[in-house]
Amino acid sequence: MPLAWLLLAALPFAPAVPARLPQAAANTPAVAAAHRTVAQAIAALGGDEYLQANERSGKGYLYTFNSAGELNGTGTQFWSYYRFPGDERLELTKKRNVIYIYSGGKGWEVTFRGVTPMLRRTMANYKEVSAHSLDVILKTWAADPATLMLDEGNGLYDQAPIDSVLFTTKDGVSATVDFSLLTHLPVRVHWQRTDPDTGGRYVEAVVYGNWANIGGIEAAFSVDRYQGPQRLEQQYYTDISFAPFADSLFTPKPLK
């Protein structure tokens, strides 16, 4: 399911020390470099305006891919509404008559048949991806002094130079964010997952591209989701807004 995403001065950048770490470990060059990289990224995203923008809506086309990496059809129109940290609504098709709503840790599918609770596996998958979203990492994890941020060095992604930062929360949840060395904007979020059926481990990744400034805030107009090397889907936006919208969008109601 497509994904969804404190003031800059309050973020615990260079001076902060994760509470569970010895002072010597917290003052390593890798920690200091990670804090600088994250500070640059948040500034590039819009600084305070980005951190305080908790609502985002948009529309565009949703594409899915088969195991060979080929497109499944020509794509589906979508309209999306997201409220940080975990409320989301996705409307599909030209008639907007297939709707997915996630709110308060619950989820529903709304169609002409009525309102149906999400399957447990679908909800577990959504919560996993939502918990590792870019907004959660940069607005919640990075703001917690107990989160360890380590610079993993420079590299390349899609032939472009990146700097990677590993985030680990006080609860042991971790993810790596790759930031562009040229723009400082996020390029990719990736983390290890375990398949609940097979027990096998793979890398889940969300890739961000086609950034554009919307009223002082940078927004990614293409968002791709991968499981291992396989691309599962792409959200390609034609319009994005950070204007507020009604709370009622996250209340499941039968279609008229």
Side-chain angles (χ1 to χ4, degrees), residues 173-238:
V173 182
S174 63
T176 297
V177 182
D178 302 326
F179 299 96
S180 168
L181 280 174
L182 303 177
T183 66
H184 303 300
L185 293 170
V187 173
R188 178 177 59 157
V189 176
H190 50 106
W191 68 98
Q192 289 280 343
R193 286 193 66 176
T194 301
D195 188 291
D197 296 325
T198 66
R201 293 180 65 80
Y202 61 89
V203 174
E204 183 99 8
V206 180
V207 177
Y208 301 88
N210 294 330
W211 291 90
N213 192 283
I214 307 295
I217 303 172
E218 290 289 329
F221 274 67
S222 66
V223 181
D224 295 65
R225 183 181 165 201
Y226 289 78
Q227 283 187 354
Q230 182 181 349
R231 179 161 61 167
L232 299 181
E233 65 183 29
Q234 179 189 74
Q235 284 178 289
Y236 185 86
Y237 288 86
T238 57

Short mmCIF file of all heavy atoms in Angstrom, two decimals, residues 173-238:
data_model
loop_
_atom_site.label_atom_id
_atom_site.label_comp_id
_atom_site.label_asym_id
_atom_site.label_seq_id
_atom_site.Cartn_x
_atom_site.Cartn_y
_atom_site.Cartn_z
N VAL A 173 14.75 0.04 16.67
CA VAL A 173 14.25 0.08 15.30
C VAL A 173 15.23 0.92 14.48
O VAL A 173 15.65 1.99 14.91
CB VAL A 173 12.84 0.70 15.25
CG1 VAL A 173 12.31 0.71 13.82
CG2 VAL A 173 11.90 -0.07 16.16
N SER A 174 15.57 0.44 13.28
CA SER A 174 16.58 1.16 12.50
C SER A 174 16.19 1.28 11.04
O SER A 174 15.37 0.52 10.52
CB SER A 174 17.94 0.46 12.62
OG SER A 174 17.89 -0.84 12.07
N ALA A 175 16.79 2.25 10.38
CA ALA A 175 16.63 2.47 8.95
C ALA A 175 17.78 3.35 8.49
O ALA A 175 18.35 4.12 9.27
CB ALA A 175 15.30 3.13 8.63
N THR A 176 18.12 3.22 7.23
CA THR A 176 19.17 4.05 6.64
C THR A 176 18.53 5.00 5.63
O THR A 176 17.67 4.59 4.85
CB THR A 176 20.22 3.19 5.93
OG1 THR A 176 20.87 2.35 6.90
CG2 THR A 176 21.28 4.06 5.24
N VAL A 177 18.94 6.26 5.67
CA VAL A 177 18.47 7.25 4.70
C VAL A 177 19.66 7.70 3.88
O VAL A 177 20.71 8.08 4.42
CB VAL A 177 17.82 8.46 5.38
CG1 VAL A 177 17.29 9.43 4.32
CG2 VAL A 177 16.68 8.01 6.30
N ASP A 178 19.52 7.64 2.56
CA ASP A 178 20.54 8.15 1.64
C ASP A 178 20.15 9.56 1.23
O ASP A 178 19.02 9.79 0.78
CB ASP A 178 20.63 7.27 0.40
CG ASP A 178 20.96 5.82 0.73
OD1 ASP A 178 21.72 5.59 1.70
OD2 ASP A 178 20.47 4.92 0.02
N PHE A 179 21.09 10.50 1.39
CA PHE A 179 20.84 11.90 1.04
C PHE A 179 21.74 12.30 -0.13
O PHE A 179 22.90 11.90 -0.20
CB PHE A 179 21.16 12.81 2.22
CG PHE A 179 20.33 12.55 3.45
CD1 PHE A 179 20.80 11.73 4.47
CD2 PHE A 179 19.09 13.14 3.59
CE1 PHE A 179 20.04 11.50 5.61
CE2 PHE A 179 18.31 12.91 4.72
CZ PHE A 179 18.79 12.09 5.74
N SER A 180 21.20 13.09 -1.04
CA SER A 180 21.98 13.58 -2.17
C SER A 180 23.09 14.50 -1.68
O SER A 180 22.85 15.41 -0.88
CB SER A 180 21.08 14.33 -3.15
OG SER A 180 21.86 15.04 -4.09
N LEU A 181 24.31 14.26 -2.16
CA LEU A 181 25.41 15.15 -1.82
C LEU A 181 25.31 16.49 -2.56
O LEU A 181 25.94 17.47 -2.18
CB LEU A 181 26.75 14.48 -2.15
CG LEU A 181 27.27 13.47 -1.12
CD1 LEU A 181 28.52 12.77 -1.65
CD2 LEU A 181 27.56 14.14 0.21
N LEU A 182 24.52 16.52 -3.61
CA LEU A 182 24.39 17.73 -4.41
C LEU A 182 23.29 18.66 -3.89
O LEU A 182 23.47 19.87 -3.83
CB LEU A 182 24.10 17.36 -5.87
CG LEU A 182 25.14 16.46 -6.55
CD1 LEU A 182 24.71 16.12 -7.96
CD2 LEU A 182 26.51 17.12 -6.55
N THR A 183 22.15 18.08 -3.51
CA THR A 183 21.01 18.89 -3.07
C THR A 183 20.72 18.76 -1.58
O THR A 183 19.95 19.55 -1.03
CB THR A 183 19.74 18.50 -3.83
OG1 THR A 183 19.38 17.14 -3.47
CG2 THR A 183 19.96 18.58 -5.34
N HIS A 184 21.27 17.72 -0.93
CA HIS A 184 21.02 17.38 0.47
C HIS A 184 19.62 16.79 0.68
O HIS A 184 19.25 16.49 1.82
CB HIS A 184 21.24 18.58 1.41
CG HIS A 184 22.60 19.19 1.31
ND1 HIS A 184 23.75 18.48 1.57
CD2 HIS A 184 22.99 20.44 0.95
CE1 HIS A 184 24.80 19.26 1.40
NE2 HIS A 184 24.37 20.46 1.01
N LEU A 185 18.84 16.63 -0.38
CA LEU A 185 17.50 16.07 -0.25
C LEU A 185 17.57 14.55 -0.12
O LEU A 185 18.49 13.91 -0.63
CB LEU A 185 16.65 16.45 -1.45
CG LEU A 185 16.31 17.94 -1.58
CD1 LEU A 185 15.67 18.22 -2.93
CD2 LEU A 185 15.38 18.37 -0.45
N PRO A 186 16.59 13.94 0.54
CA PRO A 186 16.57 12.48 0.66
C PRO A 186 16.40 11.81 -0.71
O PRO A 186 15.65 12.28 -1.56
CB PRO A 186 15.35 12.21 1.54
CG PRO A 186 15.12 13.49 2.27
CD PRO A 186 15.51 14.58 1.32
N VAL A 187 17.10 10.71 -0.88
CA VAL A 187 17.01 9.93 -2.11
C VAL A 187 16.30 8.61 -1.85
O VAL A 187 15.47 8.18 -2.65
CB VAL A 187 18.42 9.64 -2.67
CG1 VAL A 187 18.36 8.69 -3.86
CG2 VAL A 187 19.11 10.95 -3.05
N ARG A 188 16.63 7.97 -0.71
CA ARG A 188 16.08 6.64 -0.44
C ARG A 188 16.07 6.37 1.05
O ARG A 188 16.97 6.78 1.78
CB ARG A 188 16.93 5.58 -1.16
CG ARG A 188 16.49 4.14 -0.92
CD ARG A 188 17.33 3.15 -1.72
NE ARG A 188 18.76 3.24 -1.39
CZ ARG A 188 19.63 2.26 -1.60
NH1 ARG A 188 19.22 1.12 -2.15
NH2 ARG A 188 20.90 2.42 -1.28
N VAL A 189 15.02 5.66 1.52
CA VAL A 189 14.95 5.10 2.86
C VAL A 189 14.93 3.59 2.70
O VAL A 189 14.13 3.06 1.92
CB VAL A 189 13.69 5.56 3.62
CG1 VAL A 189 13.62 4.87 4.98
CG2 VAL A 189 13.67 7.08 3.77
N HIS A 190 15.79 2.87 3.44
CA HIS A 190 15.77 1.41 3.34
C HIS A 190 16.07 0.77 4.68
O HIS A 190 16.78 1.34 5.51
CB HIS A 190 16.74 0.92 2.25
CG HIS A 190 18.13 1.46 2.32
ND1 HIS A 190 19.21 0.73 2.76
CD2 HIS A 190 18.62 2.69 1.99
CE1 HIS A 190 20.31 1.47 2.70
NE2 HIS A 190 19.97 2.67 2.25
N TRP A 191 15.49 -0.41 4.89
CA TRP A 191 15.64 -1.12 6.16
C TRP A 191 15.42 -2.61 5.94
O TRP A 191 14.85 -3.04 4.93
CB TRP A 191 14.66 -0.58 7.20
CG TRP A 191 13.20 -0.85 6.94
CD1 TRP A 191 12.44 -1.85 7.46
CD2 TRP A 191 12.32 -0.10 6.08
NE1 TRP A 191 11.15 -1.78 6.99
CE2 TRP A 191 11.06 -0.71 6.15
CE3 TRP A 191 12.49 1.03 5.27
CZ2 TRP A 191 9.96 -0.25 5.43
CZ3 TRP A 191 11.39 1.50 4.55
CH2 TRP A 191 10.15 0.87 4.63
N GLN A 192 15.86 -3.41 6.89
CA GLN A 192 15.72 -4.86 6.82
C GLN A 192 14.35 -5.29 7.32
O GLN A 192 13.86 -4.80 8.34
CB GLN A 192 16.79 -5.55 7.67
CG GLN A 192 18.20 -5.46 7.11
CD GLN A 192 18.44 -6.48 6.00
OE1 GLN A 192 17.70 -7.45 5.84
NE2 GLN A 192 19.48 -6.25 5.21
N ARG A 193 13.73 -6.22 6.58
CA ARG A 193 12.45 -6.79 7.00
C ARG A 193 12.54 -8.31 7.00
O ARG A 193 13.35 -8.90 6.30
CB ARG A 193 11.32 -6.36 6.06
CG ARG A 193 10.88 -4.93 6.22
CD ARG A 193 9.57 -4.69 5.50
NE ARG A 193 8.46 -5.43 6.10
CZ ARG A 193 7.19 -5.34 5.71
NH1 ARG A 193 6.89 -4.54 4.69
NH2 ARG A 193 6.24 -6.02 6.29
N THR A 194 11.66 -8.92 7.78
CA THR A 194 11.57 -10.39 7.82
C THR A 194 10.21 -10.81 7.28
O THR A 194 9.18 -10.32 7.75
CB THR A 194 11.75 -10.91 9.25
OG1 THR A 194 13.02 -10.50 9.75
CG2 THR A 194 11.66 -12.43 9.29
N ASP A 195 10.21 -11.71 6.31
CA ASP A 195 8.95 -12.21 5.75
C ASP A 195 8.23 -13.03 6.82
O ASP A 195 8.79 -13.99 7.35
CB ASP A 195 9.23 -13.08 4.52
CG ASP A 195 7.96 -13.46 3.80
OD1 ASP A 195 7.17 -14.24 4.36
OD2 ASP A 195 7.76 -12.99 2.66
N PRO A 196 6.98 -12.67 7.17
CA PRO A 196 6.27 -13.39 8.24
C PRO A 196 5.95 -14.84 7.88
O PRO A 196 5.72 -15.65 8.78
CB PRO A 196 4.98 -12.57 8.41
CG PRO A 196 4.79 -11.86 7.11
CD PRO A 196 6.17 -11.58 6.60
N ASP A 197 5.94 -15.19 6.60
CA ASP A 197 5.61 -16.56 6.19
C ASP A 197 6.85 -17.44 6.08
O ASP A 197 6.87 -18.57 6.57
CB ASP A 197 4.87 -16.54 4.84
CG ASP A 197 3.53 -15.84 4.94
OD1 ASP A 197 2.89 -15.96 6.01
OD2 ASP A 197 3.14 -15.19 3.97
N THR A 198 7.91 -16.91 5.44
CA THR A 198 9.09 -17.72 5.19
C THR A 198 10.21 -17.50 6.20
O THR A 198 11.11 -18.33 6.34
CB THR A 198 9.66 -17.43 3.79
OG1 THR A 198 10.15 -16.07 3.75
CG2 THR A 198 8.58 -17.59 2.73
N GLY A 199 10.16 -16.37 6.91
CA GLY A 199 11.24 -16.04 7.83
C GLY A 199 12.45 -15.47 7.14
O GLY A 199 13.44 -15.11 7.79
N GLY A 200 12.41 -15.37 5.81
CA GLY A 200 13.52 -14.82 5.06
C GLY A 200 13.63 -13.31 5.24
O GLY A 200 12.64 -12.63 5.50
N ARG A 201 14.84 -12.77 5.12
CA ARG A 201 15.07 -11.34 5.29
C ARG A 201 15.35 -10.68 3.94
O ARG A 201 15.96 -11.29 3.06
CB ARG A 201 16.24 -11.09 6.25
CG ARG A 201 15.93 -11.52 7.68
CD ARG A 201 17.11 -11.28 8.61
NE ARG A 201 17.42 -9.88 8.75
CZ ARG A 201 16.77 -9.02 9.54
NH1 ARG A 201 15.75 -9.45 10.25
NH2 ARG A 201 17.13 -7.76 9.63
N TYR A 202 14.86 -9.47 3.79
CA TYR A 202 15.08 -8.71 2.57
C TYR A 202 15.10 -7.23 2.92
O TYR A 202 14.78 -6.84 4.04
CB TYR A 202 14.00 -9.01 1.53
CG TYR A 202 12.60 -8.66 1.98
CD1 TYR A 202 12.07 -7.39 1.76
CD2 TYR A 202 11.79 -9.60 2.62
CE1 TYR A 202 10.79 -7.06 2.16
CE2 TYR A 202 10.50 -9.27 3.03
CZ TYR A 202 10.01 -8.01 2.80
OH TYR A 202 8.75 -7.69 3.22
N VAL A 203 15.50 -6.42 1.95
CA VAL A 203 15.56 -4.98 2.16
C VAL A 203 14.31 -4.33 1.58
O VAL A 203 13.98 -4.54 0.42
CB VAL A 203 16.82 -4.38 1.51
CG1 VAL A 203 16.79 -2.85 1.62
CG2 VAL A 203 18.08 -4.93 2.16
N GLU A 204 13.61 -3.61 2.41
CA GLU A 204 12.47 -2.78 1.95
C GLU A 204 13.02 -1.38 1.68
O GLU A 204 13.84 -0.86 2.46
CB GLU A 204 11.40 -2.72 3.03
CG GLU A 204 10.16 -1.96 2.63
CD GLU A 204 9.03 -2.87 2.20
OE1 GLU A 204 9.15 -4.10 2.34
OE2 GLU A 204 8.03 -2.35 1.71
N ALA A 205 12.58 -0.76 0.60
CA ALA A 205 13.11 0.57 0.27
C ALA A 205 12.02 1.44 -0.34
O ALA A 205 11.13 0.95 -1.05
CB ALA A 205 14.28 0.45 -0.69
N VAL A 206 12.10 2.73 -0.04
CA VAL A 206 11.25 3.74 -0.67
C VAL A 206 12.19 4.77 -1.27
O VAL A 206 13.06 5.32 -0.59
CB VAL A 206 10.30 4.40 0.34
CG1 VAL A 206 9.43 5.44 -0.36
CG2 VAL A 206 9.44 3.35 1.03
N VAL A 207 12.01 5.03 -2.58
CA VAL A 207 12.90 5.92 -3.32
C VAL A 207 12.14 7.18 -3.70
O VAL A 207 11.01 7.11 -4.21
CB VAL A 207 13.45 5.22 -4.58
CG1 VAL A 207 14.33 6.17 -5.40
CG2 VAL A 207 14.25 3.98 -4.17
N TYR A 208 12.76 8.35 -3.47
CA TYR A 208 12.13 9.63 -3.71
C TYR A 208 12.83 10.36 -4.86
O TYR A 208 14.05 10.35 -4.95
CB TYR A 208 12.19 10.50 -2.45
CG TYR A 208 11.52 9.88 -1.26
CD1 TYR A 208 12.22 9.03 -0.41
CD2 TYR A 208 10.17 10.11 -0.99
CE1 TYR A 208 11.60 8.44 0.68
CE2 TYR A 208 9.55 9.53 0.09
CZ TYR A 208 10.27 8.69 0.93
OH TYR A 208 9.65 8.10 2.00
N GLY A 209 12.04 11.00 -5.73
CA GLY A 209 12.62 11.73 -6.85
C GLY A 209 11.71 12.83 -7.35
O GLY A 209 10.61 13.04 -6.84
N ASN A 210 12.17 13.54 -8.37
CA ASN A 210 11.42 14.64 -8.98
C ASN A 210 10.95 15.66 -7.93
O ASN A 210 9.78 16.03 -7.85
CB ASN A 210 10.20 14.11 -9.76
CG ASN A 210 10.61 13.29 -10.96
OD1 ASN A 210 11.65 13.52 -11.55
ND2 ASN A 210 9.80 12.30 -11.29
N TRP A 211 11.91 16.12 -7.12
CA TRP A 211 11.58 17.09 -6.08
C TRP A 211 11.22 18.45 -6.68
O TRP A 211 11.80 18.88 -7.66
CB TRP A 211 12.76 17.26 -5.13
CG TRP A 211 13.03 16.06 -4.27
CD1 TRP A 211 13.85 15.01 -4.56
CD2 TRP A 211 12.47 15.78 -2.98
NE1 TRP A 211 13.85 14.09 -3.53
CE2 TRP A 211 13.01 14.54 -2.55
CE3 TRP A 211 11.58 16.45 -2.15
CZ2 TRP A 211 12.68 13.97 -1.32
CZ3 TRP A 211 11.25 15.89 -0.92
CH2 TRP A 211 11.80 14.66 -0.52
N ALA A 212 10.25 19.12 -6.05
CA ALA A 212 9.87 20.47 -6.47
C ALA A 212 9.44 21.26 -5.24
O ALA A 212 8.92 20.69 -4.26
CB ALA A 212 8.74 20.43 -7.48
N ASN A 213 9.65 22.56 -5.28
CA ASN A 213 9.31 23.42 -4.15
C ASN A 213 7.85 23.85 -4.23
O ASN A 213 7.42 24.44 -5.23
CB ASN A 213 10.22 24.64 -4.13
CG ASN A 213 10.11 25.41 -2.82
OD1 ASN A 213 9.15 26.15 -2.61
ND2 ASN A 213 11.09 25.24 -1.96
N ILE A 214 7.10 23.56 -3.16
CA ILE A 214 5.69 23.93 -3.09
C ILE A 214 5.52 24.87 -1.90
O ILE A 214 5.49 24.45 -0.74
CB ILE A 214 4.78 22.70 -2.90
CG1 ILE A 214 5.07 21.64 -3.97
CG2 ILE A 214 3.32 23.12 -2.92
CD1 ILE A 214 4.74 22.07 -5.37
N GLY A 215 5.47 26.15 -2.16
CA GLY A 215 5.27 27.13 -1.09
C GLY A 215 6.34 27.10 -0.02
O GLY A 215 6.05 27.31 1.17
N GLY A 216 7.58 26.84 -0.41
CA GLY A 216 8.67 26.83 0.55
C GLY A 216 9.04 25.46 1.09
O GLY A 216 10.01 25.32 1.84
N ILE A 217 8.28 24.43 0.71
CA ILE A 217 8.55 23.06 1.16
C ILE A 217 8.84 22.19 -0.05
O ILE A 217 8.12 22.24 -1.05
CB ILE A 217 7.34 22.49 1.92
CG1 ILE A 217 6.98 23.39 3.10
CG2 ILE A 217 7.63 21.06 2.41
CD1 ILE A 217 5.68 23.01 3.78
N GLU A 218 9.90 21.39 0.02
CA GLU A 218 10.22 20.48 -1.05
C GLU A 218 9.32 19.24 -0.99
O GLU A 218 9.10 18.68 0.09
CB GLU A 218 11.68 20.05 -0.99
CG GLU A 218 12.67 21.14 -1.32
CD GLU A 218 12.67 21.50 -2.80
OE1 GLU A 218 12.39 20.61 -3.63
OE2 GLU A 218 12.95 22.67 -3.12
N ALA A 219 8.82 18.82 -2.14
CA ALA A 219 7.95 17.65 -2.22
C ALA A 219 8.45 16.73 -3.32
O ALA A 219 8.83 17.19 -4.40
CB ALA A 219 6.50 18.07 -2.50
N ALA A 220 8.44 15.43 -3.06
CA ALA A 220 8.85 14.44 -4.05
C ALA A 220 7.65 14.08 -4.92
O ALA A 220 6.63 13.60 -4.40
CB ALA A 220 9.40 13.19 -3.37
N PHE A 221 7.77 14.28 -6.22
CA PHE A 221 6.66 13.99 -7.13
C PHE A 221 6.70 12.56 -7.66
O PHE A 221 5.78 12.15 -8.37
CB PHE A 221 6.65 15.00 -8.28
CG PHE A 221 5.91 16.27 -7.95
CD1 PHE A 221 6.40 17.14 -6.99
CD2 PHE A 221 4.71 16.57 -8.57
CE1 PHE A 221 5.72 18.31 -6.67
CE2 PHE A 221 4.01 17.72 -8.26
CZ PHE A 221 4.52 18.61 -7.29
N SER A 222 7.73 11.80 -7.34
CA SER A 222 7.73 10.37 -7.64
C SER A 222 8.22 9.63 -6.41
O SER A 222 9.21 10.00 -5.79
CB SER A 222 8.62 10.03 -8.84
OG SER A 222 9.98 10.29 -8.56
N VAL A 223 7.46 8.60 -6.01
CA VAL A 223 7.78 7.80 -4.84
C VAL A 223 7.64 6.34 -5.25
O VAL A 223 6.56 5.88 -5.63
CB VAL A 223 6.83 8.11 -3.66
CG1 VAL A 223 7.21 7.26 -2.45
CG2 VAL A 223 6.86 9.59 -3.31
N ASP A 224 8.76 5.61 -5.21
CA ASP A 224 8.79 4.21 -5.62
C ASP A 224 9.05 3.31 -4.43
O ASP A 224 9.90 3.62 -3.57
CB ASP A 224 9.89 3.97 -6.66
CG ASP A 224 9.63 4.70 -7.95
OD1 ASP A 224 9.64 5.95 -7.95
OD2 ASP A 224 9.41 4.04 -8.97
N ARG A 225 8.36 2.18 -4.38
CA ARG A 225 8.56 1.22 -3.30
C ARG A 225 9.16 -0.06 -3.86
O ARG A 225 8.70 -0.58 -4.89
CB ARG A 225 7.25 0.92 -2.60
CG ARG A 225 7.41 -0.02 -1.41
CD ARG A 225 6.10 -0.32 -0.74
NE ARG A 225 6.22 -1.47 0.13
CZ ARG A 225 5.20 -2.21 0.54
NH1 ARG A 225 3.98 -1.94 0.15
NH2 ARG A 225 5.39 -3.24 1.34
N TYR A 226 10.19 -0.57 -3.15
CA TYR A 226 10.89 -1.79 -3.56
C TYR A 226 10.87 -2.81 -2.43
O TYR A 226 10.91 -2.46 -1.25
CB TYR A 226 12.36 -1.49 -3.88
CG TYR A 226 12.61 -0.71 -5.15
CD1 TYR A 226 12.41 0.67 -5.18
CD2 TYR A 226 13.05 -1.35 -6.30
CE1 TYR A 226 12.65 1.39 -6.35
CE2 TYR A 226 13.30 -0.63 -7.46
CZ TYR A 226 13.10 0.73 -7.48
OH TYR A 226 13.34 1.45 -8.63
N GLN A 227 10.84 -4.09 -2.82
CA GLN A 227 11.15 -5.20 -1.90
C GLN A 227 12.33 -5.93 -2.50
O GLN A 227 12.21 -6.56 -3.55
CB GLN A 227 9.96 -6.13 -1.73
CG GLN A 227 8.89 -5.57 -0.81
CD GLN A 227 7.80 -6.58 -0.49
OE1 GLN A 227 7.76 -7.68 -1.04
NE2 GLN A 227 6.90 -6.21 0.40
N GLY A 228 13.49 -5.81 -1.84
CA GLY A 228 14.71 -6.32 -2.44
C GLY A 228 14.95 -5.56 -3.74
O GLY A 228 14.74 -4.35 -3.82
N PRO A 229 15.35 -6.24 -4.80
CA PRO A 229 15.59 -5.55 -6.07
C PRO A 229 14.33 -5.27 -6.88
O PRO A 229 14.38 -4.58 -7.89
CB PRO A 229 16.50 -6.54 -6.82
CG PRO A 229 16.08 -7.88 -6.30
CD PRO A 229 15.73 -7.66 -4.85
N GLN A 230 13.19 -5.82 -6.43
CA GLN A 230 11.96 -5.71 -7.21
C GLN A 230 11.18 -4.44 -6.88
O GLN A 230 10.84 -4.18 -5.73
CB GLN A 230 11.05 -6.92 -6.97
CG GLN A 230 9.76 -6.88 -7.80
CD GLN A 230 8.86 -8.07 -7.54
OE1 GLN A 230 9.26 -9.03 -6.89
NE2 GLN A 230 7.64 -8.00 -8.04
N ARG A 231 10.91 -3.65 -7.90
CA ARG A 231 10.05 -2.48 -7.72
C ARG A 231 8.60 -2.93 -7.72
O ARG A 231 8.13 -3.57 -8.66
CB ARG A 231 10.30 -1.45 -8.82
CG ARG A 231 9.42 -0.22 -8.70
CD ARG A 231 9.92 0.99 -9.45
NE ARG A 231 10.02 0.76 -10.87
CZ ARG A 231 10.19 1.74 -11.78
NH1 ARG A 231 10.32 3.00 -11.36
NH2 ARG A 231 10.29 1.47 -13.05
N LEU A 232 7.89 -2.58 -6.67
CA LEU A 232 6.49 -2.99 -6.54
C LEU A 232 5.53 -1.97 -7.13
O LEU A 232 4.56 -2.33 -7.80
CB LEU A 232 6.14 -3.20 -5.06
CG LEU A 232 6.92 -4.27 -4.31
CD1 LEU A 232 6.41 -4.36 -2.88
CD2 LEU A 232 6.79 -5.63 -5.00
N GLU A 233 5.78 -0.69 -6.85
CA GLU A 233 4.84 0.33 -7.29
C GLU A 233 5.50 1.69 -7.34
O GLU A 233 6.57 1.92 -6.75
CB GLU A 233 3.63 0.38 -6.36
CG GLU A 233 3.99 0.84 -4.95
CD GLU A 233 2.80 0.82 -4.01
OE1 GLU A 233 1.88 0.00 -4.22
OE2 GLU A 233 2.79 1.63 -3.06
N GLN A 234 4.86 2.59 -8.06
CA GLN A 234 5.29 3.98 -8.12
C GLN A 234 4.07 4.89 -8.02
O GLN A 234 3.07 4.67 -8.69
CB GLN A 234 6.03 4.31 -9.42
CG GLN A 234 6.47 5.77 -9.51
CD GLN A 234 7.01 6.15 -10.87
OE1 GLN A 234 6.25 6.30 -11.82
NE2 GLN A 234 8.32 6.29 -10.96
N GLN A 235 4.19 5.90 -7.16
CA GLN A 235 3.22 6.99 -7.12
C GLN A 235 3.85 8.15 -7.89
O GLN A 235 4.90 8.67 -7.48
CB GLN A 235 2.90 7.41 -5.69
CG GLN A 235 1.99 6.46 -4.94
CD GLN A 235 1.77 6.96 -3.52
OE1 GLN A 235 2.68 6.91 -2.70
NE2 GLN A 235 0.58 7.43 -3.23
N TYR A 236 3.20 8.56 -8.97
CA TYR A 236 3.70 9.68 -9.76
C TYR A 236 2.69 10.81 -9.62
O TYR A 236 1.56 10.73 -10.11
CB TYR A 236 3.88 9.30 -11.23
CG TYR A 236 4.50 10.40 -12.05
CD1 TYR A 236 5.89 10.53 -12.12
CD2 TYR A 236 3.71 11.32 -12.73
CE1 TYR A 236 6.47 11.56 -12.85
CE2 TYR A 236 4.28 12.35 -13.45
CZ TYR A 236 5.66 12.46 -13.52
OH TYR A 236 6.23 13.49 -14.23
N TYR A 237 3.11 11.88 -8.94
CA TYR A 237 2.20 12.99 -8.64
C TYR A 237 2.20 14.01 -9.77
O TYR A 237 3.24 14.32 -10.35
CB TYR A 237 2.62 13.69 -7.35
CG TYR A 237 2.35 12.90 -6.10
CD1 TYR A 237 3.28 11.97 -5.63
CD2 TYR A 237 1.19 13.08 -5.36
CE1 TYR A 237 3.05 11.24 -4.48
CE2 TYR A 237 0.94 12.37 -4.21
CZ TYR A 237 1.88 11.45 -3.77
OH TYR A 237 1.64 10.73 -2.63
N THR A 238 1.02 14.54 -10.04
CA THR A 238 0.89 15.68 -10.94
C THR A 238 0.58 16.96 -10.18
O THR A 238 0.70 18.06 -10.72
CB THR A 238 -0.23 15.44 -11.97
OG1 THR A 238 -1.47 15.18 -11.28
CG2 THR A 238 0.10 14.22 -12.85
#
